[in-house]
Amino acid sequence: MLEQMLLRGRFVPSEPPKRRGATSSEPDQGLLAVMAQILGSVPWGKIGLGIAVLFVTALVPWGTGQLLAAMDRQFMHVEVAGPLKGESRNALERHAGQWLGKSFFTTDLADIKVSLEQRPWVESAAVRREWPDRLVVEIREHKPLAYWNDRQLISRTGEVFLPRNREVAGVLPRLRGPEGRSREVIDRGRVMANALDARGIGFAGIALEERGAWTLTLTNGIEVALGRDQVEERFERFLTVYGERLASRADQVERIDARYTNGVAVRWKPLAQASDNNS
């Protein structure tokens, strides 16, 4: 009897005790907790990085296309800058115009620079790109110092150049000498020009002959023979005699020979010689 009661007590289900205050929303709260736990375990940083990579990857073909389009842009205009005297702006534009239609980015500007600097009047050229399609060329011309021999000019930096229109240089001293000796002629001419200028005498030029003899020319047309030796001493002697005896009669003098030891020889113009003989 006792055994039957124990069996009956073991198999008869009993209702679980109800918790005080429990409601039907508890299953919903559990679901939210599970979802929060799931979402919290998601690696959002890696997902965001992946999305960014995908976005950039999608942009690469577009960006490449834009870059290639820019690379295909061509020079359409040429602008020549800088003050010009010997060069023609139109001629320079035509010269640089051979690069019109060339690639804006891939054209080697050094080639354009070298080509422009082959022109006689151009001392240096600066070349640059100007977006979107302009080629800008800035020219610096030679500054002429003197005429050299029959057809050339000498720049202030001592460079000999041969322009077709050398006459645009205007009134300049005339230097002559063997090829390759221009620097020697320039240096001696500069010294003499300064000494003459200090005495109010104009310097027109100087010539060096193949055998080494020097001849000075004044702006009043008088030639002064200085020879090959003791050129500085002879020049000083000329200055002394000219200042003391000849400056007042310079319009009558044709040539002065300073190759003498104790003085100079004067060749008078024909009318002056006749006047001296009659007096």
Side-chain angles (χ1 to χ4, degrees), residues 25-232:
S25 63
E26 288 185 359
D28 293 338
Q29 292 178 354
L31 179 60
L32 291 176
V34 172
M35 291 181 64
Q37 186 176 4
I38 294 173
L39 293 176
S41 63
V42 174
W44 293 108
K46 293 182 179 180
I47 292 176
L49 179 60
I51 293 173
V53 170
L54 291 174
F55 180 74
V56 172
T57 303
L59 284 178
V60 167
W62 178 85
T64 302
Q66 293 297 312
L67 179 60
L68 291 175
M71 292 289 284
D72 288 336
R73 188 174 293 277
Q74 300 173 342
F75 288 119
M76 300 301 295
H77 306 281
V78 173
E79 178 183 340
V80 176
L84 301 175
K85 183 175 182 180
E87 277 287 358
S88 162
R89 197 172 302 275
N90 289 336
L92 286 168
E93 289 175 352
R94 288 194 300 270
H95 185 105
Q98 61 186 294
W99 280 274
L100 292 179
K102 304 294 185 180
S103 171
F104 185 88
F105 282 107
T106 62
T107 298
D108 191 347
L109 299 186
D111 292 341
I112 306 176
K113 173 182 171 67
V114 170
S115 178
L116 288 167
E117 290 177 351
Q118 300 302 311
R119 298 178 67 87
W121 277 101
V122 178
E123 180 180 1
S124 64
V127 185
R128 70 177 188 274
R129 302 175 178 89
E130 189 172 285
W131 185 262
D133 57 6
R134 188 176 298 273
L135 177 66
V136 180
V137 176
E138 188 166 355
I139 298 295
R140 183 170 67 182
E141 290 186 329
H142 289 295
K143 303 297 182 185
L145 174 69
Y147 291 99
W148 175 248
N149 291 334
D150 296 325
R151 299 189 302 159
Q152 297 169 304
L153 286 168
I154 296 179
S155 72
R156 294 180 185 177
T157 59
E159 184 175 349
V160 176
F161 61 105
L162 177 60
R164 294 181 179 179
N165 57 337
R166 73 172 196 158
E167 68 281 353
V168 302
V171 178
L172 294 172
R174 295 182 178 272
L175 309 182
R176 300 184 65 86
E179 295 300 328
R181 301 184 68 178
S182 60
R183 173 55 64 183
E184 181 182 357
V185 177
I186 291 172
D187 292 343
R188 188 175 292 277
R190 182 176 287 115
V191 171
M192 292 185 177
N194 290 337
L196 292 168
D197 184 67
R199 293 167 174 78
I201 306 171
F203 171 83
I206 190 170
L208 172 62
E209 298 176 5
E210 289 284 351
R211 294 179 295 176
W214 295 88
T215 301
L216 172 67
T217 304
L218 308 182
T219 53
N220 56 16
I222 297 175
E223 291 185 350
V224 183
L226 299 169
R228 291 181 297 178
D229 305 317
Q230 302 177 335
V231 176
E232 291 81 2

